[in-house]
Amino acid sequence: MSELIQAVLESEEKNDLRAFVSQLRQQEKNYLLRNDILHVYSEYCAKNEQSEKLYTFSLLGKLLYYTQEIIQEDSNFCFIIRPHIASQEIYRVTADLSVEAMTVQELLDLRDRLVNKYHPNEGDLLELDFGPFYDYTPVIRDPKNIGKGVQYLNRYLSSKLFQDPKQWLESLFSFLRLHQYNGIQLLINNRIQSQQQLSQQVKKAIAFVTERPSDEPYDEFRFQLQTMGFEPGWGNTAQRVQETLNILDELIDSPDPQTLEAFISRVPMIFRIVLVSAHGWFGQEGVLGRPDTGGQVVYVLDQARNLEKQLQEDVLLAGLDGINVKPKVIILSRLIPNSDGTLCNERLEKVYGTDNAWILRVPLRDFNPNMTQNWISRFEFWPYLETFAIDSERELLAEFQGKPDLIVGNYTDGNLVAFLLARRMKVTQCNIAHALEKSKYLFSNLYWQDLDEKYHFSLQFTADLIAMNAANFVVSSTYQEIVGTPDSVGQYESYKCFTMPELYHVVNGIELFSPKFNVVPPGVNENYYFPYTRNQDRVESDRLRLDEMLFTLEDSSQIFGKLDDPNKRPIFSMARLDRIKNLTGLAECFGQSKDLQEHCNLILVAGKLRTEESDDNEERDEIVKLYHIIDEYNLHGKIRWLGVRLSKSDSGEIYRVIADRKGIFVQPALFEAFGLTILESMISGLPNFATQFGGPLEIIQDKVNGFYINPTNLTETATKILDFVTKCEQNPEYWETVSQKAIDRVYTTYTWKIHTTKLLSLARIYGFWNFTSKENREDLLRYLESLFYLIYKPRAQQLLEQHKYR
């Protein structure tokens, strides 16, 4: 039995539990989530005049704090308890307080009965369990180390080298012989025939390069090394070659995790990378602000630029520029013939500021031109992914003149395409979710049948299960994206156990303790986003133009609202107009606080101004809602709403213009997977007030370089902002202090240099792991293919039939 329940039952608080359970029976809801549970408990304590101590410090309070869900069925209650991160316990509690453990299967059946009370399942549902496929792979034990997979893997691999050095050194030797570029052998040649000979020749080569000038170029002693068995790839100078050979020598003689990572990170094995961002409106100009674009487009473009730059640096350091090695990065997206003035109808577009990074757009097959020649929402995109992957494989092979070395998926659709491509081409696959919709929409799996016509979650969640389990490694922006916080479930964690009534049960959807998970946060494009104090890098005409647009410009079809006093401190936010981004919530928070209106103006850069300009249902709803809030709270003269598309340079300067006026940035999302706008505004120098639900918890250090807000508590949010504004008015240096700490936070933790170095290191180490381990992934991949062809594909085909008549 749970220690938490046991402690309550063996204490004087047993009667409190009995009374609390009695109060639960009086609730209209029979399915309570954590906030509901704590609310009922708070009411219970108040009603019974119980002390604050009972609510906060009692055993019962502790039990209910860790209880994620309570489900009532007849007179019994099911308690789902999460005593630790990434763990779950399930108990049935009866009226007389007898407690028994429930299985996952029993819990899923109970949830099904809740949905289909009058039509219970006849017979068993398909049960998905990925657990057995992880039995033969190393597993992290301590939850604190989740997301540090590569560190664990390095320890595991180096310990294997100690345990069975002969086998592992043979694997290492075979791995080094594997690498070529366009038919040119790298690292070692046929003069070295065994791992014993490799060890001997490494020592000879070290002695040879040690005697040469440290800065002597590799090409000047290349042929001597070749006679010893060493081909290009060890370094560009005598010193670099010596360093790399020394690391290998140390790895052979006395392996440890740091040495293993240091060596594998230098192995030249990644030259061609595919970044998949499939659902479209992917371009460098005129695409932001469209449905389903925004942070992901910015992220992938910045990642592509910086990956190419890092690959070029790695090639140079490895001494491969002499054999004409040219790294290439391709962003794979869909071609949209009706591209509304953007370049989304161009097959190939070079990424600005790069030598060899490209956007490759592949058209969808014309099942129905009304659909396939136009933008398609990410929620409707599923029927086209398989044929898109097949067509893309041919295009990628032509562009690379061979196979890529790494495929990185972005978002669910891109990750599924990455799976299909990686499976066909036998290439390392990396997943980046950006957002997993399952956590964003409450009960989205439980009531999928009601939501499927609009969102098609049955396809999306199936695609998620396939892609995340197939991936060789998963990159998340934050720890909590994987396993949440002590009191909230992580995005990936939500896939551990769930039901889709009448479709399937997932009893073990993902192994959270697998070393495939790695936290690698993105960076900020420092060409566009930099501190407002760097006046030498700012364009004065842009500053004046954008200041006028934000605060005083009149008679513009893209601006709503005229400010009575433009000199008030600006509260600024910039995001898409959708429900999750919650800009309407910020407007309502501002509208409800007269004190805030006295001190500040609200400036929003968001989407469109008119419903007829949008083809996204959710955006249209939010436009109507925002106008209603402005009228309801009479915010005329106090708010500016800009429905503009901004270039990157303009969006960077807008943050700085707000900072010039000592403004603040508010990110009020109901949930934010990471928060790129938070990084952009912080590096610009803006104090941030950001949602406590999601990634901002790890970016911002509360009350140091920013502030957490609960966007569902409008009064509390307004009070926090007002307190800060009041402090700044009393002491202007306070704004400067928080501003500088925000800037420092980004530069020390969130740069693209840090990101790309780590990502490429991961790709090499997981490539090494897949080569050297005896892990048999084929059974897992066959299982995933069955899921794709037996569940995903038939449902996608049904949706495609609907699309034919639109």
Side-chain angles (χ1 to χ4, degrees):
M1 186 189 299
S2 163
E3 293 179 6
L4 293 167
I5 294 180
Q6 189 77 40
V8 173
L9 293 178
E10 293 176 355
S11 74
E12 296 176 356
E13 294 176 28
K14 182 176 181 179
N15 287 332
D16 286 312
L17 174 59
R18 191 189 310 277
F20 176 71
V21 166
S22 176
Q23 184 160 330
L24 285 176
R25 287 197 187 87
Q26 299 165 29
Q27 300 297 309
E28 291 183 10
K29 293 182 179 179
N30 54 4
Y31 200 133
L32 280 75
L33 298 179
R34 186 171 180 275
N35 283 345
D36 302 321
I37 296 164
L38 295 178
H39 180 68
V40 173
Y41 184 48
S42 176
E43 285 184 340
Y44 167 77
C45 291
K47 178 180 173 183
N48 294 279
E49 299 181 350
Q50 300 284 0
S51 68
E52 173 72 17
K53 185 178 179 182
L54 178 68
Y55 181 81
T56 309
F57 301 108
S58 67
L59 294 169
L60 179 57
K62 187 177 181 183
L63 167 65
L64 296 178
Y65 177 84
Y66 289 110
T67 301
Q68 293 294 315
E69 302 170 32
I70 295 177
I71 306 171
Q72 181 179 4
E73 186 179 45
D74 302 325
S75 60
N76 297 329
F77 290 88
C78 171
F79 278 59
I80 295 107
I81 302 169
R82 187 171 174 266
H84 310 289
I85 279 175
S87 68
Q88 177 178 274
E89 299 173 0
I90 315 156
Y91 297 95
R92 182 181 290 109
V93 179
T94 64
D96 63 356
L97 296 192
S98 65
V99 178
E100 61 180 12
M102 293 174 64
T103 65
V104 168
Q105 287 86 346
E106 288 174 327
L107 170 62
L108 299 180
D109 285 338
L110 170 59
R111 286 173 172 160
D112 284 355
R113 289 195 296 273
L114 195 72
V115 175
N116 297 319
K117 190 171 184 179
Y118 302 106
H119 303 284
N121 287 327
E122 295 293 334
D124 291 332
L125 277 181
L126 172 65
E127 190 172 277
L128 303 180
D129 184 359
F130 293 92
F133 299 110
Y134 291 93
D135 286 347
Y136 305 103
T137 62
V139 175
I140 293 167
R141 289 182 173 81
D142 189 340
K144 291 196 299 294
N145 292 326
I146 291 173
K148 301 175 183 176
V150 76
Q151 296 174 23
Y152 180 85
L153 197 56
N154 286 332
R155 288 197 299 273
Y156 178 83
L157 290 171
S158 57
S159 70
K160 285 286 186 183
L161 282 165
F162 269 126
Q163 291 168 18
D164 192 349
K166 187 172 186 299
Q167 178 192 329
W168 277 87
L169 289 173
E170 283 179 2
S171 295
L172 179 61
F173 167 67
S174 300
F175 179 71
L176 293 178
R177 293 184 65 177
L178 185 70
H179 301 296
Q180 296 183 342
Y181 178 81
N182 287 350
I184 300 171
Q185 182 64 35
L186 304 178
L187 297 177
I188 60 175
N189 59 38
N190 289 332
R191 288 186 174 88
I192 299 176
Q193 292 289 324
S194 66
Q195 58 93 4
Q196 293 94 339
Q197 193 180 2
L198 173 65
S199 179
Q200 295 164 6
Q201 293 301 99
V202 165
K203 294 183 190 313
K204 285 183 183 177
I206 290 172
F208 168 72
V209 292
T210 302
E211 294 176 355
R212 309 192 77 83
S214 61
D215 60 350
E216 183 177 357
Y218 165 74
D219 278 345
E220 294 186 14
F221 56 88
R222 171 181 176 178
F223 294 111
Q224 291 96 317
L225 280 182
Q226 281 182 315
T227 61
M228 297 182 197
F230 296 97
E231 294 293 337
W234 297 97
N236 60 334
T237 63
Q239 181 175 338
R240 180 78 179 183
V241 172
Q242 181 187 345
E243 287 173 4
T244 308
L245 289 169
N246 273 328
I247 296 169
L248 176 58
D249 189 44
E250 188 178 341
L251 181 63
I252 292 170
D253 290 344
S254 54
D256 64 61
Q258 292 75 27
T259 307
L260 179 65
E261 181 169 8
F263 178 69
I264 299 299
S265 295
R266 290 190 178 207
V267 173
M269 54 187 284
I270 308 288
F271 306 109
R272 306 176 182 98
I273 299 176
V274 180
L275 307 176
V276 187
S277 183
H279 52 247
W281 282 137
F282 196 102
Q284 300 179 81
E285 292 177 355
V287 298
L288 299 185
R290 303 295 184 98
D292 303 344
T293 62
Q296 181 174 318
V297 173
V298 174
Y299 178 108
V300 175
L301 278 170
D302 286 346
Q303 187 184 58
R305 286 190 190 93
N306 287 277
L307 277 171
E308 191 220 24
K309 185 177 178 182
Q310 189 61 49
L311 286 173
Q312 289 173 334
E313 186 178 314
D314 292 348
V315 162
L316 196 67
L317 287 172
L320 296 177
D321 52 322
I323 58 171
N324 204 31
V325 172
K326 297 205 177 300
K328 189 169 189 175
V329 177
I330 289 179
I331 300 168
L332 176 65
S333 191
R334 64 164 293 220
L335 186 145
I336 307 174
N338 299 330
S339 61
D340 196 16
T342 70
L343 294 181
C344 294
N345 61 347
E346 295 287 331
R347 177 183 177 272
L348 207 57
E349 180 186 354
K350 193 173 183 183
V351 176
Y352 302 151
T354 68
D355 294 325
N356 206 11
W358 303 82
I359 301 169
L360 172 65
R361 301 186 183 93
V362 176
L364 303 184
R365 294 185 189 176
D366 262 348
F367 295 98
N368 173 2
N370 290 332
M371 294 294 295
T372 52
Q373 294 197 13
N374 294 291
W375 166 80
I376 300 171
S377 164
R378 71 185 192 273
F379 294 120
E380 299 278 336
F381 198 43
W382 312 111
Y384 308 98
L385 296 183
E386 184 182 16
T387 52
F388 177 77
I390 292 168
D391 296 342
S392 296
E393 179 187 16
R394 183 176 60 251
E395 299 283 342
L396 288 168
L397 289 171
E399 288 298 321
F400 283 128
Q401 295 295 297
K403 294 196 304 184
D405 304 306
L406 173 66
I407 299 176
V408 181
N410 291 273
Y411 191 71
T412 303
D413 49 28
N415 284 324
L416 188 67
V417 171
F419 158 70
L420 295 169
L421 286 170
R423 179 67 168 142
R424 293 170 66 91
M425 301 168 94
K426 300 191 177 350
V427 174
T428 302
Q429 175 196 347
C430 167
N431 269 31
I432 300 177
H434 293 287
L436 290 163
E437 303 286 349
K438 187 170 174 295
S439 345
K440 289 164 63 175
Y441 293 84
L442 194 61
F443 293 132
S444 52
N445 61 284
L446 204 56
Y447 295 99
W448 70 271
Q449 288 154 302
D450 298 333
L451 299 167
D452 225 42
E453 185 177 348
K454 183 176 182 181
Y455 293 113
H456 306 291
F457 286 141
S458 62
L459 284 160
Q460 180 146 15
F461 300 164
T462 305
D464 280 329
L465 286 171
I466 292 169
M468 66 178 63
N469 281 287
N472 298 104
F473 65 103
V474 176
V475 163
S476 72
S477 296
T478 61
Y479 172 82
Q480 64 166 324
E481 187 180 327
I482 309 168
V483 285
T485 64
D487 54 12
S488 66
V489 173
Q491 291 186 61
Y492 283 96
E493 187 181 0
S494 72
Y495 285 78
K496 181 75 175 172
C497 156
F498 67 95
T499 175
M500 301 196 75
E502 299 186 21
L503 186 61
Y504 53 67
H505 282 172
V506 178
V507 296
N508 191 350
I510 186 69
E511 177 51 74
L512 298 168
F513 289 84
S514 166
K516 72 166 58 181
F517 286 104
N518 292 273
V519 177
V520 187
V524 180
N525 188 327
E526 295 171 47
N527 294 322
Y528 299 105
Y529 304 99
F530 53 83
Y532 76 104
T533 51
R534 271 170 46 187
N535 289 315
Q536 70 276 15
D537 296 321
R538 297 176 68 179
V539 178
E540 181 65 9
S541 59
D542 287 345
R543 187 188 70 77
L544 294 172
R545 172 176 57 85
L546 292 170
D547 186 274
E548 181 187 21
M549 184 176 78
L550 284 168
F551 298 103
T552 58
L553 182 66
E554 297 182 27
D555 300 324
S556 171
S557 62
Q558 294 181 298
I559 300 174
F560 174 86
K562 179 182 176 182
L563 300 177
D564 293 338
D565 182 359
N567 294 316
K568 287 182 181 178
R569 191 184 303 266
I571 297 171
F572 177 62
S573 193
M574 180 161 56
R576 297 190 312 275
L577 260 181
D578 64 26
R579 186 182 68 82
I580 296 296
K581 293 299 183 184
N582 192 39
L583 291 186
T584 51
L586 174 59
E588 190 159 14
C589 168
F590 182 72
Q592 289 180 5
S593 174
K594 294 292 184 186
D595 289 337
L596 211 49
Q597 294 168 39
E598 283 293 315
H599 294 267
C600 302
N601 290 316
L602 178 61
I603 314 291
L604 303 177
V605 174
K608 311 283 195 308
L609 295 182
R610 286 167 281 278
T611 54
E612 61 269 21
E613 294 174 350
S614 173
D615 50 7
D616 181 78
N617 291 332
E618 200 163 90
E619 184 177 44
R620 287 196 290 263
D621 291 344
E622 290 297 295
I623 290 170
V624 172
K625 186 176 179 182
L626 187 48
Y627 280 121
H628 175 75
I629 290 167
I630 292 169
D631 289 338
E632 181 183 359
Y633 295 102
N634 192 23
L635 295 179
H636 301 282
K638 302 166 187 175
I639 188 171
R640 291 266 280 185
W641 169 13
L642 284 67
V644 294
R645 289 185 202 161
L646 297 171
S647 65
K648 270 194 174 182
S649 57
D650 277 358
S651 65
E653 186 59 26
I654 272 183
Y655 290 123
R656 293 187 287 273
V657 166
I658 298 291
D660 290 335
R661 292 173 175 255
K662 307 305 181 205
I664 61 172
F665 183 80
V666 181
Q667 210 279 25
L670 300 175
F671 178 83
E672 179 58 65
F674 181 64
L676 205 52
T677 54
I678 294 170
L679 292 185
E680 292 168 356
S681 56
M682 285 176 75
I683 200 172
S684 304
L686 284 174
N688 261 250
F689 289 76
T691 180
Q692 67 189 34
F693 302 121
L697 276 179
E698 291 176 46
I699 297 174
I700 288 174
Q701 296 157 312
D702 193 33
K703 299 174 186 174
V704 177
N705 47 38
F707 304 85
Y708 302 146
I709 58 170
N710 179 347
T712 63
N713 189 329
L714 304 184
T715 303
E716 180 187 88
T717 296
T719 300
K720 283 187 176 183
I721 296 172
L722 187 63
D723 286 349
F724 175 77
V725 169
T726 303
K727 279 185 183 178
C728 292
E729 289 175 354
Q730 294 168 351
N731 176 17
E733 289 184 3
Y734 182 56
W735 186 95
E736 304 282 355
T737 300
V738 176
S739 170
Q740 188 57 51
K741 287 182 177 176
I743 294 168
D744 295 342
R745 173 68 170 164
V746 179
Y747 277 125
T748 56
T749 316
Y750 297 101
T751 69
W752 278 112
K753 174 69 174 174
I754 296 169
H755 173 95
T756 51
T757 303
K758 185 68 181 287
L759 181 63
L760 290 172
S761 176
L762 292 174
R764 293 180 180 110
I765 288 163
Y766 283 92
F768 176 64
W769 160 247
N770 290 331
F771 178 81
T772 57
S773 74
K774 297 301 180 185
E775 175 193 10
N776 182 7
R777 278 173 47 86
E778 187 60 26
D779 50 356
L780 168 61
L781 294 170
R782 289 290 185 187
Y783 187 76
L784 294 170
E785 282 183 337
S786 299
L787 195 54
F788 178 82
Y789 287 110
L790 298 178
I791 295 181
Y792 180 93
K793 190 169 179 177
R795 300 194 69 82
Q797 204 66 36
Q798 290 173 14
L799 181 55
L800 184 62
E801 288 299 317
Q802 295 174 28
H803 283 192
K804 285 180 180 178
Y805 301 102
R806 291 192 185 179

